[in-house]
Amino acid sequence: MAEEQGKPGKGINTGKLATSMQKRLSRAQEKVLQKLGKADETRDTAFEEGVANFNKQMAEGTKLQKDLRAYLAAVKTMHDASKRLQDCLADMYEPEWFGKEEVDTIAEETDILWSDYHDKLADNSMIAMDNYLAQFPDIKARIAKRDRKMTDYDSARHHFGSLQKGKKQDQAKIAKAEEELGRAQKVFEEINVDLQDELPQLWNSRVGFYVNTFQSMAGYQQRFHKDMGKLNQDLNDVMTKLDEQRLAKFTEEENSSTLVFFNILPTMDLGCCGQYILNQVAISLCVMSKKIIIQVKAMHDYAATDGDELEMKAGDVVLVLAWENPDEQDDGWLMGVKESHWLENKDLLAKGVFPENFTQKL
């Protein structure tokens, strides 16, 4: 019973296979005849141009998708590298250093910023790219089907024409061939008309898609770099404060050592010669600490005309000091303190600016 029920289905499948093989053979024969010039081929220049545009658009879109994926992978790589670098800084940043909490916060916010940037690219630009390309395989398959149906139509047209021109005309065969030609023409024209509408629309859509894609990416990049620039500035400010902390600690230790030396000077009875030697040693210590650069001697009297200027008499020895902010120094002017004041008070509080051309280097 089961075998009897299976026989019709098997016969139908066999019939479909035979019909399919016959169509393939007929198409192959038609293509050979067309290549040999023995049969004309239906041509549509506008459609062929549309197919060329389609192939170009699909190739460009595929390349853009590939490059966008590579860019997304590069962003992920940069995110990972940035996180490792920030973690390294946070791990080695000692608790007593200035801005420990700020450094930890900057590391966390930097990681969040990278993640947000990557996710926006993946969830918006990449998905839009994938959806854009998803429409091409179906249209490509329909173009190939349209080519097959056009070959079927040409084959039916030539078969019908040959029967009409035959010496012995079989009206039954002619009628059947005409019917087959009508069916082939209808199938071909239906798919051909649809593609003639869709291909130009798809071609024209590429500009809008490119605009939306790169505008979105530009917006993501602009916000990312703006926020990242702020975090970098915050980190730079912390590093500046840390360096100031380091320099202040170094100066404090240096001043402590110099102060100990200065404090023992009054307790030492070395005579005039010995006292002079110790004074010179003290000056040398300040030179070594970069507080005093050189010593100069006033060759002329100079009367101070402003509160920040140093008044000098010819013969005064002046200790030239380093400027705390070099940008504040005017050409031809130095800052210093009289040696006599320094030896008596052991401080640099009475410093002032004076013209360099009034002095001579010792």
Side-chain angles (χ1 to χ4, degrees):
M1 192 72 179
E3 290 181 0
E4 291 178 0
Q5 292 177 349
K7 286 181 181 179
K10 183 177 180 180
I12 292 174
N13 292 335
T14 303
K16 287 183 177 180
L17 179 61
T19 302
S20 176
M21 292 296 295
Q22 180 60 40
K23 283 186 176 181
R24 290 183 181 181
L25 179 60
S26 176
R27 288 169 186 160
Q29 290 175 341
E30 182 66 22
K31 286 293 183 182
V32 171
L33 292 174
Q34 289 175 353
K35 288 182 179 180
L36 294 175
K38 294 183 178 181
D40 63 302
E41 179 182 3
T42 300
R43 303 297 299 268
D44 186 338
T45 304
F47 185 85
E48 291 172 2
E49 182 180 345
V51 172
N53 289 338
F54 170 83
N55 291 330
K56 180 177 183 293
Q57 185 178 2
M58 182 170 61
E60 290 176 347
T62 301
K63 184 179 184 303
L64 178 58
Q65 182 189 51
K66 178 181 177 181
D67 292 340
L68 188 56
R69 283 176 177 166
Y71 180 80
L72 193 62
V75 170
K76 183 65 169 64
T77 300
M78 279 297 298
H79 178 194
D80 294 340
S82 173
K83 189 175 189 310
R84 288 194 297 270
L85 186 61
Q86 293 289 341
D87 290 345
C88 178
L89 175 61
D91 290 343
M92 69 184 185
Y93 211 90
E94 298 181 10
E96 66 273 13
W97 290 358
F98 176 87
K100 170 61 177 172
E101 292 184 0
E102 287 86 342
V103 168
D104 291 341
T105 300
I106 290 172
E108 293 175 3
E109 292 182 356
T110 299
D111 181 48
I112 293 173
L113 193 58
W114 274 109
S115 295
D116 182 64
Y117 180 48
H118 179 274
D119 292 346
K120 278 187 169 62
L121 289 173
D123 295 341
N124 295 294
S125 299
M126 200 68 246
I127 290 179
M129 184 77 248
D130 292 342
N131 290 338
Y132 172 73
L133 281 182
Q135 57 191 328
F136 285 85
D138 174 67
I139 296 179
K140 182 179 180 181
R142 288 163 59 203
I143 290 174
K145 182 178 180 180
R146 183 257 187 197
D147 289 344
R148 294 193 298 272
K149 296 307 178 182
M150 184 178 69
T151 303
D152 292 343
Y153 167 66
D154 285 341
S155 179
R157 182 165 55 85
H158 295 146
H159 178 59
F160 176 69
S162 64
L163 289 177
Q164 282 186 318
K165 295 176 183 178
K167 293 181 179 180
K168 296 181 179 181
Q169 294 190 355
D170 188 330
Q171 295 302 321
K173 287 184 177 181
I174 293 175
K176 183 179 179 181
E178 186 176 12
E179 182 181 346
E180 291 177 351
L181 173 59
R183 284 197 301 267
Q185 183 177 6
K186 181 180 179 181
V187 172
F188 167 67
E189 288 182 349
E190 284 179 354
I191 190 171
N192 187 56
V193 168
D194 289 342
L195 287 173
Q196 284 178 335
D197 291 337
E198 291 181 40
L199 288 179
Q201 292 176 7
L202 180 63
W203 174 248
N204 293 331
S205 72
R206 74 195 191 285
V207 177
F209 173 75
Y210 296 155
V211 169
N212 292 334
T213 298
F214 284 95
Q215 272 189 343
S216 297
M217 289 186 63
Y220 301 148
Q221 288 177 346
Q222 184 179 26
R223 288 189 290 273
F224 170 77
H225 289 299
K226 179 182 178 181
D227 294 340
M228 186 62 73
K230 185 178 183 303
L231 289 176
N232 288 334
Q233 183 61 55
D234 292 344
L235 181 60
N236 181 66
D237 292 343
V238 171
M239 294 297 104
T240 299
K241 293 292 185 181
L242 176 61
D243 193 46
E244 291 175 357
Q245 182 187 56
R246 176 188 67 85
L247 293 174
K249 184 177 180 181
F250 174 77
T251 302
E252 181 181 346
E253 293 174 351
E254 186 181 70
N255 288 341
S256 297
S257 300
T258 305
L259 184 60
V260 170
F261 176 79
F262 290 157
N263 288 338
I264 67 172
L265 286 180
T267 65
M268 302 175 67
D269 185 11
L270 301 174
C272 293
C273 182
Q275 190 66 41
Y276 171 77
I277 294 174
L278 285 177
N279 286 338
Q280 293 304 310
V281 170
I283 293 174
S284 297
L285 283 174
C286 287
V287 172
M288 292 174 63
S289 67
K290 298 183 179 178
K291 285 187 175 66
I292 296 175
I293 302 175
I294 57 172
Q295 292 175 274
V296 297
K297 183 177 181 180
M299 305 305 295
H300 312 281
D301 293 347
Y302 178 74
T305 59
D306 204 345
D308 65 342
E309 295 182 357
L310 181 69
E311 189 161 321
M312 301 182 300
K313 297 292 184 181
D316 285 345
V317 175
V318 180
L319 306 178
V320 179
L321 308 176
W323 288 74
E324 294 180 1
N325 184 358
D327 294 336
E328 296 178 356
Q329 183 177 4
D330 294 327
D331 292 340
W333 288 79
L334 300 175
M335 177 179 287
V337 62
K338 291 181 181 179
E339 184 184 55
S340 58
H341 172 86
W342 189 85
L343 293 174
E344 180 180 350
N345 300 284
K346 301 301 184 293
D347 65 49
L348 306 175
L349 299 177
K351 63 184 179 181
V353 297
F354 58 91
E356 183 178 6
N357 59 3
F358 274 61
T359 63
Q360 182 178 352
K361 183 177 178 182
L362 294 179

